[in-house]
Amino acid sequence: MLLGGFDIVVIVLVIFVILVLFAGIKTVPQGYRYTIERFGRYTRTLEPGLNLITPFIERVGARLNVMEQVLNVPTQEVITKDNASVSADAVAFYQVLNAAQSAYQVSNLENAILNLTMTNIRSVMGSMDLDELLSNRDAINDRLLRVVDEAVQPWGIKVTRVEIKDIQPPRDLVDAMARQMKAEREKRAQVLEAEGARNAQILRAEGAKQSAILQAEGQREAAFRNAEARERLAEAEAKATRMVSEAIAAGDVQAINYFVAQKYTEALASVGSAPNSKIVLMPMEASSILSSLGGIGAIAREVFGDAGNPSPPPPRPRPAPVRSTPPINPPNPNPFNPDPER
């Protein structure tokens, strides 16, 4: 079957329409933005989904990823403020906010961000001492983020974070820092040990002081109590002496006997109860001891009364024995006859 000229024209028109449709329909995936150029001039940005453009007049200029992306910063040498050479590498996170600015304000976006980050790393870390550099990594990250984010704002970029991954000082410097740290820790240990010894001595001195104070207070209290006891005893002795004196003044002679007997028995008890007393020599007459015992007995009779223990009657005087003279018998005239009556 031969096709005529009209049929060929229709087929060509259908194919042309299909090509035009394919050229005018653009599908943008999620997380991307497409810029549209009309005769080389930026007109608009296509959002994710199905979009239509004018074929042969408009075209896609740049396909930009608007998701957050990671950019590795290579290792570089940095000289610190105190002339120490260290090696540092970092990682940067950024996101495209304005596709048109990212596409037309800067050429080679990733390379621009990378070089800007490396330059600011040298600037920030070079203005710090080595000790500050090693101990203030968070401060370095904050300064880098603030500086780099402010620099990329005209490009429609948002730098979300900049992190220093590793800082490597030279080996000899690391060894010197290790020795310094060891010496510092030994110094701290010695200082703490000295402070501990000093505090222990202070506490012991305070304890001895408090002990001495308490002991002195105890001795003072004991002396006060002993003085008070002696005072009470002296008052009792004075009262007893006064009562005995009053009794003697009243004519009661037994009171002085009772007083003397009490003191005598107390002295004997103290002498007999001494631990080092084995033999007691008493240069006293028996008559004095008997008289003292007699006085004590009389005092006891007066105290307990005659009713309870009546005294025996005084002994009667015994009559003197009469000596008889045997009779004088007359002599027997007959010595051979004893009985003269016989």
Side-chain angles (χ1 to χ4, degrees), residues 23 27 37 52 91 104 108-109 180 190 202 207 244 278 342:
T27 302
E37 298 175 356
L52 295 176
V91 60
Y104 302 108
N108 198 349
L109 179 62
Q180 180 183 2
Q190 293 176 359
I202 292 174
V244 171
K278 301 301 181 182
R342 289 182 182 179

Side-chain angles (χ1 to χ4, degrees), residues 56-100:
F56 309 111
I57 298 176
E58 296 178 343
R59 70 180 183 88
V60 176
R63 294 175 173 85
L64 297 174
N65 186 354
V66 297
M67 294 181 290
E68 189 172 1
Q69 302 178 59
V70 181
L71 184 63
N72 289 319
V73 180
T75 303
Q76 56 182 333
E77 295 292 331
V78 179
I79 299 177
T80 61
K81 186 178 179 180
D82 52 352
N83 297 324
S85 178
V86 297
S87 299
D89 57 353
V91 60
F93 297 82
Y94 71 95
Q95 184 178 12
V96 176
L97 299 181
N98 193 322

Side-chain angles (χ1 to χ4, degrees), residues 188-202:
R188 291 180 182 178
Q190 293 176 359
V191 170
L192 291 177
E193 185 178 359
E195 290 181 354
R198 185 189 65 180
N199 293 333
Q201 291 178 359
I202 292 174

Side-chain angles (χ1 to χ4, degrees), residues 46-59:
L46 298 182
E47 299 293 330
L50 185 63
N51 295 272
L52 295 176
I53 63 173
T54 305
F56 309 111
I57 298 176
E58 296 178 343
R59 70 180 183 88

Side-chain angles (χ1 to χ4, degrees), residues 121-311:
I121 286 175
R122 293 193 187 97
S123 300
V124 173
M125 297 179 64
S127 62
M128 303 173 67
D129 295 333
L130 180 60
D131 294 338
E132 186 180 2
L133 187 67
L134 296 175
S135 60
N136 295 329
R137 188 169 297 186
D138 291 338
I140 297 173
N141 295 334
D142 292 339
R143 291 179 60 182
L144 284 174
L145 177 61
R146 185 173 62 254
V147 173
V148 175
D149 184 56
E150 185 178 357
V152 300
Q153 282 183 0
W155 301 343
I157 303 298
K158 174 65 177 177
V159 178
T160 56
R161 68 182 63 182
V162 178
E163 298 287 342
I164 299 296
K165 291 194 298 183
D166 192 14
I167 299 176
Q168 296 179 354
R171 186 61 188 175
D172 55 348
L173 186 58
V174 173
D175 294 339
M177 292 173 61
R179 292 193 299 270
Q180 180 183 2
M181 180 184 65
K182 183 178 179 181
E184 185 69 23
R185 291 185 180 275
E186 289 178 354
K187 183 183 74 174
R188 291 180 182 178
Q190 293 176 359
V191 170
L192 291 177
E193 185 178 359
E195 290 181 354
R198 185 189 65 180
N199 293 333
Q201 291 178 359
I202 292 174
L203 291 177
R204 284 194 293 266
E206 288 290 339
K209 175 184 175 182
Q210 294 295 330
S211 177
I213 292 174
L214 293 177
Q215 186 177 3
E217 291 181 353
Q219 293 177 356
R220 184 183 66 179
E221 185 69 20
F224 178 77
R225 296 298 176 85
N226 292 332
E228 187 176 1
R230 289 195 299 270
E231 182 181 358
R232 297 290 185 273
L233 182 61
E235 291 178 357
E237 291 289 339
K239 185 176 181 181
T241 303
R242 185 173 63 252
M243 294 178 64
V244 171
S245 300
E246 292 176 355
I248 293 173
D252 189 359
V253 182
Q254 298 299 330
I256 188 61
N257 294 331
Y258 173 76
F259 186 75
V260 172
Q262 183 182 7
K263 294 298 181 181
Y264 182 76
T265 53
E266 289 178 359
L268 288 179
S270 61
V271 171
S273 62
N276 57 351
S277 298
K278 301 301 181 182
I279 299 175
V280 180
L281 300 178
M282 302 177 62
M284 300 179 181
E285 297 179 358
S287 60
S288 299
I289 297 174
L290 293 177
S291 62
S292 298
L293 294 177
I296 294 171
I299 292 171
R301 284 194 300 271
E302 290 182 2
V303 172
F304 294 104
D306 296 336
N309 188 12
S311 60

